[in-house]
Amino acid sequence: MNPVHWQLDEQGRIVAWNRDAANFFGLPASAVLSRPCAEVVGGTDPFGRPLCPRCPVQREIRYGAYQASTPLTWQGRRLWCQGYADNGIRIELKASAGCQPGDLLTSLAWATRRLTAEPGRFFQTLQAFLSVLRRGLGMEAAELFLADPQEHYLVLTAYDGVHREAFMERPWFAWGEGYPGLVALGHRALVTHDLAADDRYLRQKVKKLGYKTYVCYPLELPHGLIGVLNLASRDPDVEDQALLQTLNLVGPVLAASLYTVLTRLGESGLHAIAQALHRGAEAEGLEVLLGQAMELSGASGVWLALKDGRNLSQGRPAAACPHLARCGVWQGRVQGVKTSLEPCPHARDGRPRYCLPLWSGARVMGVQQFHFARLPQPPGRAVAALQWLLRLGAEVLWPTEIKAATETPRLEIFTLGGLRVRRDGETLSAKAFGRRQALTLLKLLLAYRGQTLTRDELCAHLWPGEEPEQTQGRLHVLVHDLRQALEPEPSQPQVVVREGEGYRLALQAPYFVDVERFEELLRQAEREEGAVALELLRQALALYRGDFLADEPYADWAELERSYLRERAVGAWFRVAEIALALGQPREALEAYRRILTLDPWREEAYAELIQTLMMTGQEPEARSIFQQYRVRMEREGLPVSTYLAQMARVSA
């Protein structure tokens, strides 16, 4: 059938009835104008119950959605009813073929425009879009978890669907915990059609209600993850491939839209903070930041305790917590009362509140308490959005804390996983270096960065077996090519400089070399504890995309640096696992041990820790599987199998 259209006023009465509608229903315009749409159409839901008197399309649009839709059955025909906010409500009825991705993108575009124009309606607009998405894809529940900027946890920010109470059982997950945390760690969608049998899914109430299909989809940005989108249904035969195809189209746009809106939520406040700082009034800037945070959260009052001992408040908060000085939030934890966050161990009353760290860069500059007269729904919905807003404010208030991260380097050199070079934001192709060996010369200088290599040494590496005297001219040509590619002014070299009888890499700031940043972050992590150290380690390991100069696997001159950096990465993953276990995040620890074995498949200590953690968390079959993998590897190489590991996995050696 061709789509048929008609127009409603704000009360749901028909005000325009075109010829297609008249032909489809067999009713002329004179018979339907001014009558309620529900009375004329009289559609039912898939179970035969009257649907139009409780029209979900009109309800969602009145709630604030730009677009809403629902399946509808009329005289035995399965149809799709879709409405748009357009001078009242414009209705379109068409054959049931599911929601088209273009329809969802249209709704998403509306949501983004509205979020940008009315940031105060952030949570309501997300709710409206989730409703369109859920109904359009024929699912029973849709959830949006937002990640905090530090990528420590995911918080349920918006929900639409039935069985709300069951889905509220766990509205907060640590990185690596449950379906959302696993998707955040692996950056891959998870899909199941047998939810009850999947131990990774941690909400027991949802399982008991008979939900079968569950899709958990990562919302990724180029520099990280902003959230996770979940869809659930009790139908085990949902076409998950069609779902994933739609999410692959909508997901990146949704992720970019969320990032744009979250970073613009406090735009006017940031301007006010900057003006206050220009006048030398930091306290005034902090007051502005607290006011914005309180408005976004809907809290009745807020306390802020700063690292330097200052305390500020706004609104009508409860009395300041006497335990702030030793609060676990100083270690980057997120706690609360009646919010399903990690419970505050010091709370003596039952008044709901959030206890959040104020991050600047990789350091906690303060602890905030948001007190609520009435808790929002979902309970922790404002947590992640607050963290984004407060991080931006902290960057303005304490710019020295993040100076290194905000400078835009002219030259960026990536060596981990293979060489890549960016100049002024553009990736250089191999052709930009002229001769192929000019790139090899750059790799040599990077492997020996900080040292001067003589011309004879460089020639011996570049042209082994040839006399250095015969290759000096070729070396000069390569140096010229390299300078043309890297130097701002090749006639006045500042990157590849000559010293005596040799050359060295003398990078001038601002510049970026991934191995230097990798080691700097590891050194910072060694001086910290808890969640702060974990954040620094995560940043460092995100840079470790593979072995040093992996595109030169047989170059002996790169092997020493390669082995050293690999060992540094292994040590960092061990510490990630140690801290994650201490913070009660065993899944992140398990992922860390697996990463170690990817880097060093013979590391028996990692096998032992992995098996022990699996046994400790009740995953005995998985522990035995890991031991079998270890045994096969050892026997294939003719090496002895550890009886200690066999005992730990409860199998015979």
Side-chain angles (χ1 to χ4, degrees):
M1 62 174 279
N2 294 321
V4 297
H5 306 84
W6 62 94
Q7 186 77 25
L8 311 179
D9 62 15
E10 293 181 353
Q11 284 72 46
R13 295 187 297 262
I14 298 172
V15 295
W17 186 257
N18 69 11
R19 184 179 300 174
D20 289 337
N23 291 337
F24 181 81
F25 288 100
L27 295 170
S30 59
V32 300
L33 291 178
S34 299
R35 290 174 60 189
C37 178
E39 180 183 301
V40 172
V41 177
T44 64
D45 65 18
F47 300 98
R49 298 170 299 193
L51 177 69
C52 289
R54 49 187 176 91
C55 178
V57 172
Q58 295 185 47
R59 184 184 68 237
E60 294 299 331
I61 290 177
R62 286 168 184 159
Y63 185 72
Y66 160 75
Q67 169 189 312
S69 56
T70 185
L72 175 145
T73 301
W74 182 79
Q75 294 188 1
R77 299 179 65 177
R78 299 182 64 182
L79 305 171
W80 192 260
C81 181
Q82 193 151 314
Y84 302 87
D86 182 12
N87 295 322
I89 303 175
R90 177 166 55 88
I91 299 294
E92 177 179 283
L93 194 67
K94 54 189 176 182
S96 178
C99 186
Q100 299 301 310
D103 297 332
L104 294 177
L105 287 173
T106 301
S107 181
L108 180 53
W110 162 82
T112 303
R113 288 196 301 272
R114 183 163 184 174
L115 286 169
T116 305
E118 302 179 64
R121 296 183 63 85
F122 179 74
F123 302 110
Q124 296 93 326
T125 306
L126 285 182
Q127 166 80 28
F129 173 70
L130 273 192
S131 177
V132 172
L133 181 72
R134 178 182 69 80
R135 294 177 186 280
L137 296 178
M139 302 297 279
E140 294 178 76
E143 309 172 287
L144 176 66
F145 282 81
L146 284 182
D148 72 303
Q150 266 35 60
E151 295 190 343
H152 289 169
Y153 47 83
L154 296 123
V155 185
L156 183 57
T157 303
Y159 175 83
D160 183 76
V162 295
H163 305 128
R164 174 180 290 268
E165 183 183 350
F167 284 90
M168 295 301 128
E169 180 184 357
R170 290 288 297 266
W172 177 89
F173 291 92
W175 220 252
E177 180 185 36
Y179 257 49
L182 290 172
V183 166
L185 266 184
H187 290 254
R188 292 188 301 274
L190 282 178
V191 181
T192 183
H193 294 283
D194 188 9
L195 196 61
D198 196 331
D199 293 336
R200 299 172 298 178
Y201 190 81
L202 303 180
R203 289 164 168 163
Q204 300 307 313
K205 290 182 180 179
V206 173
K207 290 183 176 183
K208 289 178 181 177
L209 284 168
Y211 278 84
K212 302 292 185 184
T213 299
Y214 198 87
V215 179
C216 194
Y217 188 87
L219 298 174
E220 295 186 85
L221 299 166
H223 54 275
L225 182 122
I226 198 165
V228 171
L229 180 66
N230 300 337
L231 297 164
S233 172
R234 285 171 288 184
D235 181 0
D237 299 319
V238 170
E239 291 283 346
D240 56 70
Q241 289 304 313
L243 270 181
L244 289 173
Q245 286 176 5
T246 301
L247 293 176
N248 286 338
L249 182 65
V250 174
V253 183
L254 177 58
S257 301
L258 286 170
Y259 181 75
T260 300
V261 173
L262 286 172
T263 52
R264 291 188 62 180
L265 275 175
E267 199 170 69
S268 59
L270 294 178
H271 180 66
I273 293 169
Q275 288 184 321
L277 290 176
H278 185 69
R279 296 192 300 270
E282 184 185 284
E284 183 183 333
L286 282 165
E287 291 287 346
V288 171
L289 182 61
L290 287 185
Q292 275 197 300
M294 196 168 78
E295 182 180 354
L296 176 64
S297 66
S300 58
V302 57
W303 277 100
L304 170 62
L306 290 170
K307 199 172 185 178
D308 60 13
R310 286 180 291 167
N311 289 274
L312 298 92
S313 66
Q314 276 202 16
R316 300 186 305 278
C321 177
H323 305 284
L324 272 178
R326 59 180 185 276
C327 178
V329 178
W330 286 106
Q331 298 299 318
R333 305 175 87 105
V334 172
Q335 297 179 339
V337 177
K338 290 187 176 179
T339 57
S340 299
L341 301 173
E342 178 183 332
C344 172
H346 306 299
R348 294 292 178 266
D349 59 52
R351 297 186 63 178
R353 68 171 185 248
Y354 302 157
C355 301
L356 307 179
L358 176 61
W359 290 90
S360 178
R363 298 190 180 279
V364 177
M365 303 298 293
V367 170
Q368 306 145 101
Q369 289 187 337
F370 292 85
H371 297 262
F372 295 89
R374 182 178 181 183
L375 201 61
Q377 292 297 327
R381 76 175 187 182
V383 169
L386 278 172
Q387 288 292 79
W388 282 90
L389 171 69
L390 293 164
R391 185 193 73 163
L392 292 171
E395 290 176 357
V396 177
L397 287 162
W398 299 289
T400 55
E401 292 288 327
I402 54 152
K403 183 177 178 183
T406 56
E407 286 185 342
T408 303
R410 178 192 172 273
L411 192 63
E412 300 167 90
I413 300 177
F414 301 87
T415 62
L416 297 168
L419 181 66
R420 289 184 300 117
V421 180
R422 288 168 59 87
R423 185 183 62 199
D424 298 326
E426 296 291 331
T427 300
L428 298 182
S429 67
K431 290 182 179 179
F433 292 87
R435 293 158 181 81
R436 180 179 57 82
Q437 280 191 301
L439 271 174
T440 308
L441 174 59
L442 175 58
K443 294 173 185 178
L444 272 165
L445 294 173
L446 284 164
Y448 292 94
R449 63 192 182 282
Q451 303 178 44
T452 299
L453 291 176
T454 68
R455 285 177 292 181
D456 286 353
E457 288 173 325
L458 288 169
C459 288
H461 285 307
L462 290 166
W463 299 282
E466 296 189 45
E467 292 296 328
E469 293 81 6
Q470 298 173 354
T471 55
Q472 296 281 344
R474 281 183 268 169
L475 176 62
H476 292 154
V477 172
L478 296 184
V479 170
H480 174 269
D481 287 349
L482 196 53
R483 285 173 172 168
Q484 291 293 323
L486 303 180
E487 301 281 4
E489 180 50 64
S491 62
Q492 298 175 358
Q494 300 175 15
V495 178
V496 182
V497 299
R498 182 170 178 175
E499 285 192 347
E501 295 299 314
Y503 296 92
R504 71 177 177 90
L505 211 57
L507 294 162
Q508 304 294 316
Y511 73 93
F512 174 87
V513 179
D514 59 352
V515 288
E516 292 185 3
R517 180 63 176 157
F518 173 70
E519 292 207 79
E520 178 189 347
L521 288 166
L522 291 185
R523 286 193 295 271
Q524 291 179 27
E526 288 164 1
R527 299 192 293 268
E528 302 291 348
E529 299 293 335
V532 176
L534 187 59
E535 166 65 14
L536 291 164
L537 290 166
R538 283 172 174 157
Q539 291 180 26
L541 290 164
L543 293 170
Y544 196 89
R545 300 183 177 184
D547 279 340
F548 176 72
L549 296 180
D551 46 354
E552 293 285 350
Y554 306 113
D556 54 359
W557 43 263
E559 188 54 42
L560 185 63
E561 183 76 355
R562 182 177 297 144
S563 299
Y564 165 74
L565 291 169
R566 187 189 300 130
E567 192 60 30
R568 289 284 278 161
V570 166
W573 280 118
F574 269 118
R575 188 155 185 239
V576 165
E578 177 188 350
I579 296 172
L581 287 172
L583 294 177
Q585 300 173 18
R587 290 192 180 275
E588 184 162 1
L590 291 170
E591 178 68 17
Y593 293 133
R594 291 188 175 99
R595 295 291 184 92
I596 293 168
L597 292 171
T598 300
L599 294 172
D600 185 356
W602 306 100
R603 188 69 65 125
E604 196 163 293
E605 179 186 358
Y607 278 111
E609 296 290 350
L610 177 57
I611 291 170
Q612 183 177 20
T613 306
L614 286 167
M615 298 295 287
M616 179 181 68
T617 53
Q619 301 178 66
E620 189 170 328
E622 177 69 10
R624 287 197 295 270
S625 174
I626 294 296
F627 176 78
Q628 293 300 335
Q629 294 172 29
Y630 158 77
R631 173 153 56 189
V632 167
R633 181 179 295 275
M634 299 300 282
E635 290 176 345
R636 187 169 58 232
E637 299 297 325
L639 298 172
V641 176
S642 168
T643 55
Y644 171 70
L645 288 184
Q647 291 170 358
M648 188 181 294
R650 298 175 187 169
V651 298
S652 59

